[in-house]
Each structure stands twice: as C-alpha cells, then as structure tokens.
Amino acid sequence: MAQPHMVPAASDAALILAWQGGDEQAAAELVGRHARPLARFLAGAGAPEADVDDLVQETFIRVFRSVDRFRGQCQFRTWLLTIGGNVLKDFGRRAARRKVVPLDDGVRDAAGDPQAHAEASEAEALLAAGLKQLPRLQREVFLLRAQQGLEYEEIAAALATTPGAARVHYHHAVRRLKEIVE
Amino acid sequence: MKGDAMNSDARLESLAKRLGTEAAARLDVEATARKVVEQLREQPVRRTTWVPQTWLRIAAALVIVVGGAVVVSRLTPEHRAGVGSHGAHFVADDLNDLSADELRDVLAAFDEIISSDSVAVPEGSTDLHELDAQQLRAVLRSLEG
C-alpha cells in the first residue's frame, strides 16, 4: 500500500520570501501560524482583551511592512512578538492621550468585571497585575521565557541584548512576581 | 528550601503559560488573516520610500564630509600659502595679456604710486633698496590695496 505523500510545510523564511514576491497566501499562512501565540503574548503583557484582535492585526501589518529589515537574527515568531511589544506600547500611549482607561485594568483588577474575574484564577490575576508593575524589558523577557518557552540566546537576539542580561532581567522579574503572587 | 523555590518557579511558569490563553482561544485566526491581507492589499508596502530616504541620508553625509573638507582646507596654512600663489598667478596672467606699450604705461603708473605717499613705506626708510624681504612684502601688500 502506497504511503501518503507528505508535503513538508514551508518554513517561515520561505513564506516571507513568497510574500515579498507578492504571494498573499503566504502572508495569510504566517498569520495563521503565529496569531495565537502573539495574542497570548499581548494579553499577558497587559493588552485589554477587547483590543487583542486589533493589536494582533496591527502587529502583523507592521511586521509585513518592515519585513525587509528582518535579517534572521532570531526566529520569525520571536521578532513578531517583540514588534507586538512595540505595538502594545504605542497603544498604551494613544490610550493615555485619549485618557481612556484600558478595559484590561478592570478585568485584571480584583474589583473589576466579576464574570472575567471569576474565569481567571486569583493567582493568574495577581500575576497579570504583577507583570504590569514590571519594567517593560523585564516583562517581555519574562513572557518570552516563561510563557513562550524561548532560550535566553533567542530572547537576547530579538531584544538586541546579551543572553546574560536577558537572564538577569528574567530573574529580577521572577523575584518581583513571586513577592506579588505568593 | 531549594525544593520549595523550584516548585515556586514551576508554579510561576505554569501560571505564565496560562496567561492570555482565553484571549488567544477567542481569536478568529482566519478572519484575522483575511483582514491583514486586505489591509496590505489596500495599502501596499511602499518599498520605494526607503530608497529616497537612504539616498537623502547619503547625500546629506556627502555634503557634511565635503563641506567639512573645504572648511578644513581653508583653515590650513598650506591653503593660505596657496591663496598667495594663486593671486600672483592671476596678476601674471593679466600681465601676459598686455602689449609692450601697455606694460610701459603700467610701469609708469607703478613709479607714480611708488613715489606717492599712499605706499606704506616703513618708518625710517626712504629707499626701497634698504628694505628687507618682510618690509618689501608689506609695501607690496599696501600696493594691492
């Protein structure tokens, strides 16, 4: 009996090249692969849940517009997540200018939306609140390491720092978060 | 104690992995991909904008480098010496264009200038033959006006 022919999935690099050559399907495939991890990262970094969808789209648009600058210094997903961090930072600035309190504050706050609060465990809510208190770099290193499971070398390449510095940021973040969560 | 710390780290990582899972689960990936592609189609990547900006930067850098080089060369002693020689060459070119009669007229005018009071002859000197090179240069500079 003949074995079914397995077509190997195209690598991210191949899809990027295809997109640069005008293949829209390649862009859609990249979105399909990485949208959910990006959404997790953004939500973990403090994005209001109601805005996660828009922020994911904005991140991908920014990524595809600047993909010429991606030199393969790290994995595509890691680069995508760091750009997501920039998009979230810009979103926070815009929200501050409009003086709109992000919905996430209500969701994450112990006195916030009761339904959302009930869905999240107390420890998760505390962790989320603790992450918001961390400096941005510590928060992103923590999420890239603990949530996304990346190595320090990979994190360092994406954030233009050294693996040692990434390790230090991670341990500072963990120490602060333990104090908050426990 | 160490075991407690490890448990604590593991718990923290476990919590971190759960963060945002609901938001990710709610995300309509296909719709997101469709919207992203549509937006990219409506506003294509403008790669050409990068090129002019780069060329502008290169041009600006060239202007700075060339301008700086011109300023430095003008401030160096070699250049000052060059200005003098250029002036002499310019005068010589003018003289080459003159006929013999015109040259005689120039010399006659020169004699008049020399004998007039407008020449800054150093104090105490009455004869140009008594002047040293530095004093003669001063006289010639005063002749140049």
Side-chain angles (χ1 to χ4, degrees), chain A residues 24 36 49 65 178 182, chain B residues 8-9 24 26 41 43:
Chain A
E24 290 181 345
R36 287 197 200 281
E49 290 197 12
R65 291 203 189 291
K178 276 182 183 174
E182 294 164 5
Chain B
S8 177
D9 284 1
R26 275 198 291 272
R41 195 182 299 150
Q43 299 168 339

Side-chain angles (χ1 to χ4, degrees), chain B residues 71-98:
Chain B
V71 169
V72 168
S73 71
R74 289 192 175 208
L75 293 175
T76 54
E78 292 81 2
H79 180 79
R80 290 200 192 105
V83 168
S85 65
H86 177 74
H89 177 70
F90 184 72
V91 170
D93 283 348
D94 277 352
L95 293 175
N96 286 339
D97 293 334
L98 299 179

Side-chain angles (χ1 to χ4, degrees), chain A residues 3 8 12 22-23 29 37 47 56 61 69-70 72 76 81 83-84 91 99-100 112 118 123 136 146 171:
Chain A
Q3 292 288 322
D12 286 348
D23 183 354
E29 174 68 22
V56 166
I61 296 290
R69 291 204 294 266
F70 178 57
F76 174 73
L81 296 177
I83 291 179
F91 171 83
K99 295 187 178 177
V100 172
R136 185 187 163 200
H171 285 293

Side-chain angles (χ1 to χ4, degrees), chain B:
Chain B
M1 288 292 282
K2 195 175 178 182
D4 287 348
M6 283 176 69
N7 285 339
S8 177
D9 284 1
R11 182 165 173 260
L12 201 59
E13 284 190 18
S14 171
L15 283 173
K17 282 187 170 59
R18 287 212 300 269
L19 273 184
T21 48
E22 289 167 25
R26 275 198 291 272
L27 186 74
D28 185 341
V29 176
E30 283 185 17
T32 301
R34 196 170 54 248
K35 287 175 191 169
V36 167
V37 169
E38 280 170 9
Q39 283 190 55
L40 290 170
R41 195 182 299 150
E42 285 167 12
Q43 299 168 339
V45 180
R46 290 172 297 174
R47 291 197 176 90
T48 50
T49 58
W50 181 85
V51 177
Q53 282 178 2
T54 303
W55 281 110
L56 278 175
R57 285 179 190 142
I58 291 169
L62 276 175
V63 166
I64 290 167
V65 169
V66 172
V70 168
V71 169
V72 168
S73 71
R74 289 192 175 208
L75 293 175
T76 54
E78 292 81 2
H79 180 79
R80 290 200 192 105
V83 168
S85 65
H86 177 74
H89 177 70
F90 184 72
V91 170
D93 283 348
D94 277 352
L95 293 175
N96 286 339
D97 293 334
L98 299 179
S99 65
D101 287 338
E102 286 170 329
L103 280 170
R104 280 189 204 99
D105 290 339
V106 169
L107 285 170
F110 191 76
D111 285 342
E112 283 177 23
I113 293 167
I114 292 290
S115 61
S116 74
D117 292 331
S118 63
V119 179
V121 178
E123 264 188 41
S125 296
T126 52
D127 192 337
L128 290 174
H129 294 289
E130 292 173 9
L131 302 179
D132 60 19
Q134 192 174 355
Q135 289 168 325
L136 280 168
R137 277 191 209 102
V139 171
L140 286 169
R141 284 199 190 101
S142 71
L143 284 173
E144 286 171 357

Side-chain angles (χ1 to χ4, degrees), chain A residues 46-48 50-52 54-55 58 62 84-98 100-104:
Chain A
D51 292 308
V52 167
D54 288 343
L55 290 169
E58 192 177 334
R62 200 178 289 191
N86 292 336
V87 168
L88 184 59
K89 185 182 74 176
D90 294 345
F91 171 83
R93 283 179 182 159
R94 289 198 301 269
R97 277 202 294 272
R98 291 196 307 264
V100 172
V101 178
L103 285 174
D104 195 53

Side-chain angles (χ1 to χ4, degrees), chain A:
Chain A
M1 193 171 141
Q3 292 288 322
H5 181 63
M6 298 291 287
V7 179
S11 67
D12 286 348
L15 289 173
I16 290 168
L17 275 175
W19 149 248
Q20 286 175 315
D23 183 354
E24 290 181 345
Q25 190 54 41
E29 174 68 22
L30 282 166
V31 174
R33 279 184 193 183
H34 303 292
R36 287 197 200 281
L38 174 62
R40 282 179 60 219
F41 177 78
L42 291 170
E49 290 197 12
D51 292 308
V52 167
D53 192 357
D54 288 343
L55 290 169
V56 166
Q57 283 180 44
E58 192 177 334
T59 303
F60 274 109
I61 296 290
R62 200 178 289 191
V63 159
F64 285 122
R65 291 203 189 291
S66 58
V67 79
D68 290 344
R69 291 204 294 266
F70 178 57
R71 298 275 177 264
Q73 66 273 29
C74 58
Q75 293 173 36
F76 174 73
R77 179 177 291 178
T78 315
W79 187 62
L80 171 79
L81 296 177
T82 57
I83 291 179
N86 292 336
V87 168
L88 184 59
K89 185 182 74 176
D90 294 345
F91 171 83
R93 283 179 182 159
R94 289 198 301 269
R97 277 202 294 272
R98 291 196 307 264
K99 295 187 178 177
V100 172
V101 178
L103 285 174
D104 195 53
D105 282 355
V107 173
R108 296 268 166 76
D109 196 300
D113 179 0
Q115 187 181 351
H117 183 64
E119 288 173 1
S121 71
E122 187 184 359
E124 270 183 72
L126 285 171
L127 176 61
L131 278 168
K132 291 171 80 172
Q133 293 175 31
L134 295 181
R136 185 187 163 200
L137 196 55
Q138 282 184 24
R139 179 170 58 242
E140 291 193 0
V141 168
F142 176 81
L143 287 171
L144 290 172
R145 174 79 180 157
Q147 186 197 48
Q148 303 286 330
L150 298 177
E151 298 295 330
Y152 289 118
E153 287 75 11
E154 176 74 4
I155 296 168
L159 298 176
T161 184
T162 63
R167 191 185 293 270
V168 169
H169 286 307
Y170 179 77
H171 285 293
H172 279 304
V174 166
R175 198 177 59 201
R176 290 275 305 276
L177 291 170
K178 276 182 183 174
E179 288 169 5
I180 294 164
V181 173
E182 294 164 5

